[in-house]
Amino acid sequence: MPLALAVDFGSTFTKAALVDTGDGRLVATASTPTTIGTDVLDGYRTVLDELAAHGTPDEVVACSSAGGGLRLAVVGYERDVTAEAGHRVGLSAGARVEHVAAGRLDGAGVTALRASRPDIVLLVGGTDGGNADVLLHNATRLARARVTAPVVVAGNSDAADEVAAVLASTGRTFTVTDNVLPRIGVIAPDAARAAIRAAFLHHVIGGKGLSRGPEFGRLVRAATPDAVLGGVEVLADAVGGDVLVVDIGGATTDVYSVITPQGEDAGLAKDVVAPLWHARTVEADLGMRWNAEGVVAAAAREHLPVPDGLEAYAARLAADPGHLPSDDHERGLDLALARTAAVVAVRRHARPAGPGSSPRPLADVTVVVGSGGVLRHSPAADRDAVLTAVATDHAGGWKVPRDARVVTDTAYLLAAVGLLRELHPEAARALASTVVGGRA
């Protein structure tokens, strides 16, 4: 049988799924700690050895968030317009948006940009045919600054040639692509997402020094969150409905949604920055370990109940991120932490993103999918309870899904689905269906 190996070089674990590309059947999975301290391919070879009894893959594709993933800085015109559009597009491309600058860059702005240590700079500004002065000013500052990260230009297309000439004059590495905000109320993410992905693969993967040879660069096709969003898109197609995914990690909680707006929701292009219907948000203060205290603080702001002992437990986890629950009491606290992180993260995902924005229409979500180690390693009833808390969050300020069922991606397949979607679309669709307990 034809086999493909889909590998995620994660920040903590390297995970692999061996898939029959003929019918999308999952053959086997394996995982091992990511070997950042030596060479990331050491861990990859470990999972290869573990899977050897199940067959030799005919092809290997990978995604990576190792070494900090994809760090992005956005430089835009107005914070609530082009900079916001760039921020949303950057998240949808799988980036960690480390810095957002709005308006004319000055010396302090360049210093702050450099301090964020971006892997890529997304330069946006102006609608097509609109103001180009700020875009050109910022291109000039970037061209002269000691910022060596490649630049993706996705602003006013009428100024694209002039911006390119400015960046080329100082030898900057850059790509010019379509405007992310061609006109007010319209957001066009696809070209910028593709350009960010290409820059990540060509300039960032090798530059992080995660592996001594070229093989790692040949394997990686995307940043991990980019692959996961692709997997969620395939899953939405497979189930024939809107999908919401909550990935509860040690440092952050990521939320993905793929929705098809209906009725009045389809008219939300009246927003200054129209919604991305296929979107991702990242909550950097909500994590199961490194940011456990942030979860407790967020619960207080959201007026959510906090079980006795959770605050002290969160402080212990923040001080010792490697700690695992030692008894039933601590397992209960871990689940309470997960439930709170998930509820708060989805509230933020669903509520208006800022001035001029509308709530995200999630009422028609058909399935809520959970991911993350805390869910995968918990009994089915416990993980369902965490996700049900999200789906029934009637006090959260958003329209909860009326008829959604809850499932957990226990085999961590969504990244694999995203990696396989272009090479083997039917197999990817069948594999996505197994996440929700069926076959396409």
Side-chain angles (χ1 to χ4, degrees):
M1 55 186 172
L3 296 177
L5 185 65
V7 183
D8 172 24
F9 294 95
S11 57
T12 306
F13 285 92
T14 294
K15 301 167 284 287
L18 190 64
V19 179
D20 182 339
T21 57
D23 61 6
R25 180 175 60 88
L26 178 65
V27 177
T29 62
S31 69
T32 190
T34 298
T35 47
I36 292 289
T38 55
D39 187 306
V40 291
L41 291 184
D42 292 342
Y44 164 67
R45 296 183 183 103
T46 297
V47 296
L48 274 183
D49 289 343
E50 187 174 337
L51 293 171
H54 301 279
T56 301
D58 302 284
E59 55 191 325
V60 182
V61 288
C63 54
S64 176
S65 58
L70 167 55
R71 300 172 61 90
L72 185 78
V74 178
V75 177
Y77 179 16
E78 295 177 319
R79 183 164 296 276
D80 294 332
V81 187
T82 54
E84 173 63 22
H87 186 193
R88 295 187 197 179
V89 169
L91 289 174
S92 74
R96 292 175 53 186
V97 180
E98 300 287 348
H99 182 74
V100 178
R104 293 175 177 267
L105 279 176
D106 55 15
V110 171
T111 298
L113 175 65
R114 289 181 57 210
S116 71
R117 299 182 294 109
D119 295 317
I120 298 171
V121 176
L122 176 62
L123 176 60
V124 297
T127 54
D128 289 344
N131 183 290
D133 292 344
V134 173
L135 178 65
L136 289 167
H137 170 87
N138 289 341
T140 301
R141 293 295 303 219
L142 288 173
R144 296 173 180 172
R146 288 182 294 161
V147 178
T148 58
V151 179
V152 172
V153 181
N156 186 342
S157 62
D158 289 9
D161 289 344
E162 194 170 352
V163 169
V166 168
L167 294 171
S169 69
T170 58
R172 285 288 179 262
T173 299
F174 68 93
T175 301
V176 176
T177 191
D178 297 344
N179 194 352
V180 298
L181 196 75
R183 60 184 185 276
I184 294 296
V186 174
I187 188 167
D190 292 346
R193 281 177 62 179
I196 291 169
R197 183 184 302 120
F200 174 70
L201 298 180
H202 295 157
H203 304 290
V204 178
I205 283 294
K208 285 186 177 291
L210 299 174
S211 182
R212 291 181 291 274
E215 184 180 6
F216 180 59
R218 289 196 297 266
L219 295 176
V220 175
R221 304 292 180 91
T224 297
D226 185 18
V228 172
L229 181 56
V232 179
E233 291 170 338
V234 175
L235 178 62
D237 177 67
V239 302
D242 297 350
V243 173
L244 177 69
V245 175
V246 189
D247 185 3
I248 310 167
T252 69
T253 298
D254 291 14
V255 181
Y256 303 79
S257 62
V258 171
I259 56 181
T260 301
Q262 305 290 337
E264 65 179 17
D265 291 334
L268 292 181
K270 66 180 182 291
D271 291 357
V272 175
V273 181
L276 281 176
W277 302 123
H278 299 188
R280 163 185 174 251
T281 52
V282 179
E283 305 307 330
D285 62 327
L286 305 178
M288 290 295 299
R289 292 298 180 264
W290 288 270
N291 290 315
E293 290 176 304
V295 177
V296 176
R301 291 192 296 271
E302 293 285 342
H303 307 290
L304 291 169
V306 175
D308 290 342
L310 186 61
E311 186 172 359
Y313 183 64
R316 176 179 181 179
L317 296 177
D320 179 17
H323 177 75
L324 296 176
S326 59
D327 53 30
D328 288 344
H329 177 64
E330 287 197 344
R331 278 186 283 275
L333 292 175
D334 235 34
L335 288 166
L337 201 64
R339 181 174 61 251
T340 304
V343 167
V344 174
V346 173
R347 286 183 176 186
R348 295 177 183 175
H349 183 85
R351 291 168 177 170
S357 297
S358 300
R360 192 160 181 79
L362 297 171
D364 293 326
V365 162
T366 60
V367 60
V368 177
V369 181
S371 184
V374 65
L375 297 181
R376 288 195 296 274
H377 300 302
S378 294
D382 290 339
R383 59 185 185 240
D384 286 355
V386 169
L387 298 174
T388 298
V390 171
T392 59
D393 181 30
H394 296 286
W398 60 288
K399 291 184 179 180
V400 300
R402 293 181 291 267
D403 302 307
R405 58 188 174 117
V406 298
V407 299
T408 297
D409 181 12
T410 54
Y412 193 75
L413 295 180
L414 287 173
V417 171
L419 286 169
L420 295 174
R421 67 181 301 191
E422 292 186 3
L423 296 170
H424 305 284
E426 291 305 316
R429 191 170 187 271
L431 185 65
S433 295
T434 68
V435 173
V436 293
R439 298 299 293 268

